[in-house]
Amino acid sequence: MKLYTAPRAPNPRRVAMFMAEKGIEIELQAVDLGKGEHRSESYLALNPFGRVPALELDDGRILCETRAICSYLEGLYPAPNLMGEGAEERAFIEMADRRMELHLFAIAANSIRHGHPGFASLENPQFPEFGASQGDKFRENARWLDGVLAAQPFVAGQRFTIADITAFCAMEFARGLMKFRPSDAGLSHLQAWRDRMLERPSASAGT
């Protein structure tokens, strides 16, 4: 297999962290976003939406979308389990992961892509007012997550799962480009969780 990825990009970082937690090693092919390689004819033939990551399977088929790639790898490498054992746990972990993806990760991306001048070439046209409103929504949802983590040690409950990976990568994305620090907003539970996540060896994967 071959994984098309981009160092420091948030979605590839999610897959890299997932792989690191499982000890998976796959051939990597870097895609330079700054040079527009994700928009090249050769890459668009792999993923017509021009997004990373993309996983080329041994039979030549291309699997895209971060969650789908992680699901495939979970099936191939079931231990340690990161997506749930049994229908009930899988459903609740997926719910938590989707919430992190939709209500933190995607909203941070919208805020950054429409509000950060460095992304003007990637998001053209930018809508700064929309970006600002998404930043406000991100901070509102981070406060909600702080409340969740006041009652349990991990995003989906009592153990580390893919939902923590998605949330951590979202928070680090926001930390770097939105200058968001949970402690600055009085979100002590979220800050403590983030600091615990940073101690995991997988936290440096994809950076």
Side-chain angles (χ1 to χ4, degrees), residues 15-25 69-86 89-90 93 159-165 200-202:
V15 175
M17 192 171 177
F18 190 87
M19 289 168 52
E21 288 285 339
K22 288 180 171 288
I24 301 170
E25 294 185 4
I69 292 171
C70 290
S71 293
Y72 182 73
L73 295 177
E74 178 90 342
L76 292 181
Y77 305 91
N81 178 279
L82 296 177
M83 301 181 81
E85 296 179 346
E89 190 187 32
R90 283 198 301 271
I93 290 173
R159 70 179 182 93
F160 178 87
T161 69
I162 190 173
D164 294 285
I165 293 175
R200 301 183 75 90
S202 64

Side-chain angles (χ1 to χ4, degrees), residues 172-194:
E172 294 303 284
F173 192 32
R175 181 182 180 86
L177 294 173
M178 294 172 63
K179 307 304 180 186
F180 178 78
R181 307 288 190 276
S183 57
D184 293 345
L187 307 181
S188 60
H189 304 292
L190 182 57
Q191 183 67 55
W193 167 86
R194 182 263 174 187

Side-chain angles (χ1 to χ4, degrees), residues 96-206:
D97 188 42
R98 289 290 287 162
R99 283 177 168 174
M100 296 306 101
E101 189 171 50
L102 294 172
H103 303 300
L104 277 183
F105 200 98
I107 290 176
N110 283 337
S111 176
I112 291 165
R113 291 178 72 92
H114 286 278
H116 195 288
F119 281 74
S121 62
L122 295 175
E123 196 68 44
N124 187 18
Q126 285 184 313
F127 297 96
E129 290 185 2
F130 174 67
S133 70
Q134 290 288 280
D136 292 340
K137 177 60 70 174
F138 176 88
R139 287 182 280 273
E140 177 184 327
N141 292 346
R143 185 167 298 279
W144 164 80
L145 181 57
D146 182 73
V148 171
L149 293 167
Q152 59 193 43
F154 297 99
V155 171
Q158 298 303 311
R159 70 179 182 93
F160 178 87
T161 69
I162 190 173
D164 294 285
I165 293 175
T166 303
F168 177 75
C169 291
M171 297 302 299
E172 294 303 284
F173 192 32
R175 181 182 180 86
L177 294 173
M178 294 172 63
K179 307 304 180 186
F180 178 78
R181 307 288 190 276
S183 57
D184 293 345
L187 307 181
S188 60
H189 304 292
L190 182 57
Q191 183 67 55
W193 167 86
R194 182 263 174 187
D195 293 342
R196 292 199 309 275
M197 295 301 103
L198 198 61
E199 293 173 357
R200 301 183 75 90
S202 64
S204 62

Side-chain angles (χ1 to χ4, degrees), residues 3-7 9 11-13 16 28-33 43 52-54 206:
L3 182 68
Y4 293 84
T5 186
N11 275 314
R13 186 177 185 182
L28 303 179
Q29 176 66 55
V31 178
D32 192 325
L33 304 181
Y43 189 74
V52 286

